[in-house]
Amino acid sequence: MTTATPARELDEAGPARFEELIAADQKVEPADWMPDAYRRTLVRQISQHAHSEIIGMQPEGNWITRAPSLQRKAILMAKVQDEAGHGLYLYSAAQTLGTPREEMYEQLLTGKAKYSSIFNYLTPTWADMGSIGWLVDGAAICNQVPLCRASYGPYARAMVRICKEESFHQRQGFEILLALMNGTQAQRVMAQESVNRWYAPALMMFGPPDDASPNSAQSMAWNIKRFSNDDLRQRFVDMIVPQAEILGVTLPDPDLRWNEERGHWDYGDLDWDEFREVLAGRGQANSIRIAKRRRAHEDGAWVREAARAYAEKQQAREKVAS
Ligand SMILES: [Fe+2]
Ligand SMILES: [Fe+2]
């Protein structure tokens, strides 16, 4: 038989227990004591990640009805649906930290919460579906694989499944570009033009350079983040250079060259002013994305009401039965 430990004692032992878990690289679970700042950091990071998955459906959803064949439509639809699923796992993980889902939605719809800047770029051509899969989902994988080992249990477990699906996404994007590069001259031009637009924004998905990323050190000390922004960016560049060669596309960076000494590819400076502009809401599609999300939220009100009414009815029935 176990005797329940009084809450006060649990609270007193909490900080030491938390430090122990982090030092032993073990998981922190929802019922464990955790510092307020750890909780706040996680809610911010996980909900921003969830918002990115949901907003990320828009640039590709826009192509579902225009994809060039039935097979391409089916693949793209499955991919976009996966992103909705990722959003839902992540909102659920964030909810375990005590923030209601409605509050997170509210922050997104009112512009208080951020989502990944990459989704504020437009997708004017079919080749953009290829570039998004190959480069954007590719960058997401580099960022997210280490998160499968994040110290917060529900987040880490959600990331395991998400990463499996992201690798399918990256392959489908690569395959779209490969088909175009093996096609007509006009298709090759379209693929190259699209890669030209997505390359630098994809590199900026890892966030500002390490010396301009003040919160990273704390996240690394808490085992939330495992590698710095610049390390992850380097991994990504090293991954895509040989893939670009197979595709036959040129990465639009004149400074890209193999550095024998470092054993890595050197790459050129990125336009961080553009990054800050898009982050500040002045990208190509910021207002379009939020307006569409708001409309979808309003249009979905009847579904939420119906689900609530159904749940209440079920509860009432269970009460009568018991
Ligand atoms: Fe995703
Ligand atoms: Fe994805």
Side-chain angles (χ1 to χ4, degrees), residues 2-305:
T2 53
T3 38
T5 317
R8 195 169 51 83
E9 259 177 59
L10 262 183
D11 262 5
E12 277 166 13
R17 170 89 185 123
F18 176 81
E19 292 306 327
E20 258 172 45
L21 286 173
I22 298 296
D25 204 357
Q26 294 200 342
K27 297 278 178 272
V28 177
E29 297 296 340
D32 291 334
W33 183 93
M34 61 189 86
D36 285 344
Y38 176 83
R39 189 184 297 275
R40 269 199 311 274
T41 299
L42 279 167
V43 170
R44 196 188 59 235
Q45 180 172 336
I46 303 174
S47 64
Q48 278 182 11
H49 190 165
H51 301 328
S52 302
E53 301 282 357
I54 297 298
I55 296 287
M57 295 165 73
Q58 290 188 32
E60 289 169 295
N62 154 41
W63 271 96
I64 290 174
T65 55
R66 296 180 290 158
S69 68
L70 180 61
Q71 195 195 18
R72 293 289 185 199
K73 283 187 174 73
I75 296 170
L76 189 61
M77 194 146 48
K79 197 254 184 197
V80 172
Q81 221 164 26
D82 281 353
E83 307 299 7
H86 298 173
L88 297 182
Y89 308 150
L90 290 163
Y91 283 128
S92 299
Q95 271 179 295
T96 64
L97 291 154
T99 304
R101 191 175 294 211
E102 287 67 27
E103 199 176 311
M104 294 185 263
Y105 286 165
E106 183 65 24
Q107 287 172 346
L108 172 64
L109 297 174
T110 55
K112 243 186 257 153
K114 297 260 181 275
Y115 55 86
S116 178
S117 282
I118 195 80
F119 301 118
N120 290 318
Y121 289 86
L122 293 170
T123 46
T125 72
W126 167 249
D128 291 338
M129 300 304 98
S131 297
I132 289 189
W134 178 44
L135 295 173
V136 175
D137 290 277
I141 293 170
C142 288
N143 231 335
Q144 293 171 9
V145 165
L147 290 173
C148 297
R149 295 190 293 120
S151 57
Y152 188 56
Y155 190 29
R157 289 188 288 273
M159 291 317 301
V160 172
R161 175 142 179 205
I162 290 176
C163 283
K164 285 186 183 153
E165 294 176 347
E166 293 302 353
S167 64
F168 154 68
H169 298 172
Q170 199 209 7
R171 279 156 200 237
Q172 67 87 37
F174 183 86
E175 205 267 329
I176 288 173
L177 290 177
L178 193 62
L180 291 174
M181 291 305 288
N182 287 326
T184 63
Q185 175 63 10
Q187 286 174 315
R188 278 192 291 277
V189 168
M190 180 168 71
Q192 181 64 57
E193 186 275 333
S194 171
V195 169
N196 290 350
R197 278 184 287 113
W198 290 94
Y199 169 78
L203 258 65
M204 289 195 271
M205 282 173 68
F206 297 94
D210 293 347
D211 48 18
S213 178
N215 298 327
S216 286
Q218 180 61 76
S219 281
M220 285 175 80
W222 279 329
N223 296 343
I224 298 173
K225 206 172 158 72
R226 299 286 178 163
F227 301 98
S228 76
N229 295 356
D230 286 330
D231 283 349
L232 290 168
R233 193 169 5 253
Q234 183 68 64
R235 272 180 186 216
F236 177 62
V237 173
D238 291 348
M239 177 181 87
I240 61 169
V241 170
Q243 294 177 353
E245 222 164 279
I246 296 170
L247 284 173
V249 295
T250 307
L251 295 174
D253 183 350
D255 297 322
L256 201 60
R257 60 182 61 88
W258 178 249
N259 183 325
E260 192 65 55
E261 216 171 288
R262 294 199 308 122
H264 290 290
W265 287 87
D266 287 338
Y267 55 92
D269 289 339
L270 295 162
D271 184 356
W272 292 105
D273 287 341
E274 175 184 314
F275 179 79
R276 279 185 288 270
E277 278 294 290
V278 181
L279 205 62
R282 292 184 286 274
Q284 293 172 339
N286 299 57
S287 50
I288 302 174
R289 301 292 181 241
I290 288 297
K292 189 158 187 182
R293 185 66 227 134
R294 273 195 205 129
R295 212 162 48 239
H297 191 73
E298 283 158 19
D299 290 348
W302 69 273
V303 180
R304 291 189 296 279
E305 271 161 36

